[in-house]
Amino acid sequence: MPHADKLRSWVAGRLAMLFGNMTGAELRDLLLPVSQSPLVQRRRAALIISRVRMVAATFALLTPLWIPVDLILFDSALGVWLAGLRVAATVAFGVLAVSFRQSDDIHQARASLFLMLSIPMVFFVFTLPLLGVYPVEGEPARFVATGYAFLPFVMVAGLSVFPITAIEGVVLSVPLWVVAAVEPFFGFAVLPFANHLGALWLLALLAVVATLAGMSQLHFMMQLVRQASHDGLTRAYTRRVGEEMLDLQFSQAQRGSLPLAVVFVDLDDFKKINDRYGHEEGDSTLRAAAAAMRRVLRRADILVRWGGEEFLVVMPNTGMDGARIAIERLCDGGLGKRPDGTPQTASIGIAERDRDGAESWAELVEKADQRMYAAKQSGKARVVCDSGTPAPAAAPA
């Protein structure tokens, strides 16, 4: 079977594997570079930068090793030019390897990946005209020159080692394809024009394969992050991950002078459920309460199981009024039923970064926690938004 047919079969199989049992949200996360959760973005950024640094350091060591081959096989002037380009590429790879410190900033990760691909692309653009100007004589020399001409294929294949989205794969591979397309105009044509068109089609298919491989990595990473970051019982974020995301949201709110509300929810009299009906009924009550909260929250809001029967809701770009409206909807809809059929209630405290003058996320959570305790001490089933009198929560419908 020709190589192209094998690639087509691989692509078809990979598409079926990726998209066979995937939800719309998961598909969107694999297609668009800005749709993943902040937690996935941070993990992805750290992995991309780590691999870029590793690849750059490897090429900084390997690139100059080929200089003696160029000097031996090619015309002396051409060999000197190629050696100079290799030295420049070595320096560029070395600078790239040490310039990007380990970070979880996705913008830095994309910049590092773009720069890593730009170095060999610039090397290719300068090398091909030289091979067209200077004579390339002898089979060994032509063999090595052909290797230079196929550099875009290597660069496109390298995308497969990075967890990227479909859009990122297109944006990164299209410039490489364009450079390969204009190869005959550099003065050094490796293939006849008709075969060159076939090679371009193969390069496009290779870009699809590499992008699908990168998407597979991203999907696997999202699955691991989801399993490690969510509480198995309530599907809310664990406290450890919740603190990390809260720190990120608080920093973004501070930099942009944006509102950030947190809501502390403590289920009332939950211990009595475990004592009277057992932990299985208690678990059912927790699941129902978490599901009720998710129904009223936006996609951008973050639900965290803070501990036991305590939940924390992080609401980015939300002021005190917006948070209070969301909690009123929650109270109207209820938090599910207790084993005896009565409504499950909660004591709730709300705090907002700007209004409460919080200087850290821990201070903001502490303020919401204090107001939750004020609601608890005032008779439970209360919502406290400030230092005033706690307001009774509306009875669920």
Side-chain angles (χ1 to χ4, degrees):
M1 180 183 290
H3 293 301
D5 292 338
K6 291 182 179 180
L7 282 176
R8 278 197 297 267
S9 299
W10 191 93
V11 170
R14 184 61 62 177
L15 286 171
M17 184 185 302
L18 268 179
F19 307 133
N21 298 310
M22 191 174 296
T23 65
E26 290 175 329
L27 180 59
R28 183 172 58 250
D29 289 343
L30 290 180
L31 295 177
L32 303 177
V34 294
S35 62
Q36 298 95 14
S37 70
L39 189 62
V40 171
Q41 292 278 34
R42 297 179 75 173
R43 298 291 188 272
R44 188 163 76 98
L47 182 58
I48 288 175
I49 290 179
S50 174
R51 291 186 176 178
V52 165
R53 294 178 65 190
M54 179 185 66
V55 171
T58 300
F59 275 94
L61 294 174
L62 296 181
T63 299
L65 298 181
W66 200 257
I67 290 178
V69 177
D70 290 335
L71 293 175
I72 293 171
L73 294 181
F74 294 118
D75 176 85
S76 59
L78 177 57
V80 169
W81 273 108
L82 293 176
L85 289 174
R86 283 188 173 276
V87 170
T90 298
V91 172
F93 278 125
V95 171
L96 179 61
V98 300
S99 295
F100 285 88
R101 296 183 177 180
Q102 197 61 44
S103 170
D104 54 15
D105 186 338
I106 190 63
H107 300 293
Q108 288 191 29
R110 293 194 187 104
S112 69
L113 184 53
F114 176 78
L115 290 174
M116 189 200 72
L117 293 174
S118 297
I119 295 171
M121 185 166 64
V122 171
F123 180 84
F124 175 81
V125 169
F126 279 95
T127 299
L128 265 292
L130 291 173
L131 293 174
V133 170
Y134 291 96
V136 179
E137 299 175 349
E139 287 302 319
R142 290 198 62 83
F143 174 77
V144 173
T146 301
Y148 280 112
F150 280 99
L151 187 58
F153 286 78
V154 178
M155 297 157 60
V156 168
L159 292 175
S160 61
V161 303
F162 298 97
I164 58 176
T165 63
I167 296 299
E168 289 168 334
V170 171
V171 171
L172 292 169
S173 60
V174 164
L176 302 175
W177 189 91
V178 171
V179 169
V182 299
E183 175 188 308
F185 303 100
F186 285 123
F188 181 79
V190 177
L191 301 171
F193 187 72
N195 292 344
H196 178 69
L197 294 180
L200 290 179
W201 177 84
L202 188 62
L203 180 60
L205 190 57
L206 182 61
V208 173
V209 171
T211 300
L212 286 175
M215 292 169 65
S216 296
Q217 288 195 54
L218 178 57
H219 184 245
F220 183 63
M221 173 183 290
M222 290 190 299
Q223 295 292 94
L224 288 180
V225 170
R226 186 176 294 112
Q227 292 173 8
S229 62
H230 285 76
D231 172 58
L233 177 64
T234 63
R235 292 171 47 209
Y237 284 106
T238 63
R239 178 165 178 168
R240 180 185 63 81
V241 173
E243 289 178 348
E244 180 181 348
M245 299 182 72
L246 182 55
D247 180 52
L248 174 64
Q249 294 295 336
F250 192 90
S251 298
Q252 291 177 344
Q254 270 191 324
R255 287 195 300 268
S257 298
L258 300 172
L260 175 67
V262 298
V263 181
F264 209 110
V265 180
D266 185 277
L267 302 184
D268 294 328
D269 300 318
F270 181 78
K271 186 175 183 299
K272 293 181 180 179
I273 297 177
N274 286 332
D275 293 342
R276 184 175 303 176
Y277 300 100
H279 290 280
E280 186 172 342
E281 289 293 340
D283 290 347
S284 297
T285 303
L286 282 173
R287 280 193 293 266
M293 284 185 270
R294 278 194 297 272
R295 282 195 293 269
V296 303
L297 297 179
R298 305 164 302 176
R299 177 175 171 83
D301 296 334
I302 301 166
L303 177 64
V304 183
R305 187 179 180 187
W306 204 248
E309 68 273 20
E310 297 176 337
F311 293 88
L312 191 74
V313 181
V314 184
M315 308 183 76
N317 300 317
T318 305
M320 182 65 79
D321 292 339
R324 185 168 56 244
I325 291 172
I327 295 307
E328 287 175 356
R329 290 201 306 269
L330 173 64
C331 294
D332 289 341
L335 289 166
K337 301 289 186 180
R338 296 170 68 86
D340 59 4
T342 59
Q344 175 64 57
T345 62
S347 300
I348 302 172
I350 307 176
E352 197 277 315
R353 184 194 68 83
D354 188 48
R355 179 169 172 176
D356 290 308
E359 296 296 328
S360 67
W361 67 263
E363 183 179 340
L364 186 63
V365 172
E366 178 65 23
K367 181 68 69 173
D369 190 22
Q370 291 173 357
R371 290 172 180 168
M372 181 275 294
Y373 273 109
K376 189 80 69 178
Q377 293 169 357
S378 299
K380 303 178 182 178
R382 298 286 193 275
V383 179
V384 178
C385 301
D386 50 39
S387 301
T389 304

